[in-house]
Amino acid sequence: MEPISLDAALASFTKTWSPRIVASVNDYDVRVAKVDGEHLWHTHDHTDEFFLVLDGELHISLRENGTERTVVLPKGSVFTVPRGIEHKPNAPAPTSILLFEPTGTLTVGDRHDEIPAHVDATTGHTLM
């Protein structure tokens, strides 16, 4: 058990939309990711998804009850997408985020659009 520098963790990889697991808390993973551009519309049927913006700005489009809206998260902001809500993260410029999700949760959710080449469909990669 040693402290983990989030700056060092983020500096250890370059691929966007490809989170790294920096810690575990009970049955949850704490992941960091570099993001830029659009992710994809997806839904997590059985879990909420927690976002913390470490640097930059993240937009999350949400589809709820037949309407669509976008929340904007500047650096230092947190937001939780409730389970079952269709959403699509988007970063207009390079951004670093921290995610808190149950271990084994896929980055593309349980239901999703076609996965573009720049999105890594993973449950998180081990930090090297």
Side-chain angles (χ1 to χ4, degrees):
M1 295 186 328
E2 294 295 326
I4 295 176
S5 162
L6 294 182
D7 289 337
L10 286 161
S12 73
F13 65 99
T14 59
K15 186 165 173 46
T16 58
W17 300 111
S18 182
R20 300 306 191 264
I21 300 167
V22 295
S24 295
V25 179
N26 297 317
D27 297 329
Y28 284 76
D29 288 338
V30 180
R31 305 172 185 174
V32 293
K34 293 178 179 183
V35 298
D36 192 11
E38 294 188 351
H39 194 260
L40 70 148
W41 283 105
H42 67 285
T43 305
H44 298 276
D45 291 330
H46 306 289
T47 186
D48 301 337
E49 187 171 20
F50 173 87
F51 295 86
L52 164 62
V53 178
L54 300 170
D55 191 41
E57 182 176 274
L58 184 68
H59 298 194
I60 303 177
S61 297
L62 305 160
R63 290 180 178 158
E64 312 171 80
N65 303 319
T67 63
E68 191 173 306
R69 69 182 178 108
T70 300
V71 295
V72 177
L73 287 79
K75 179 180 178 177
S77 295
V78 299
F79 185 77
T80 300
V81 176
R83 72 188 75 205
I85 299 295
E86 189 177 18
H87 59 287
K88 179 171 80 169
N90 173 37
T95 296
S96 298
I97 61 174
L98 182 141
L99 303 151
F100 190 70
E101 299 176 298
T103 300
T105 299
L106 278 170
T107 57
V108 295
D110 301 301
R111 294 178 284 124
H112 52 79
D113 285 349
E114 184 175 331
I115 302 170
H118 71 279
V119 172
D120 186 7
T122 180
T123 57
H125 297 283
T126 303
L127 190 62
M128 297 293 176

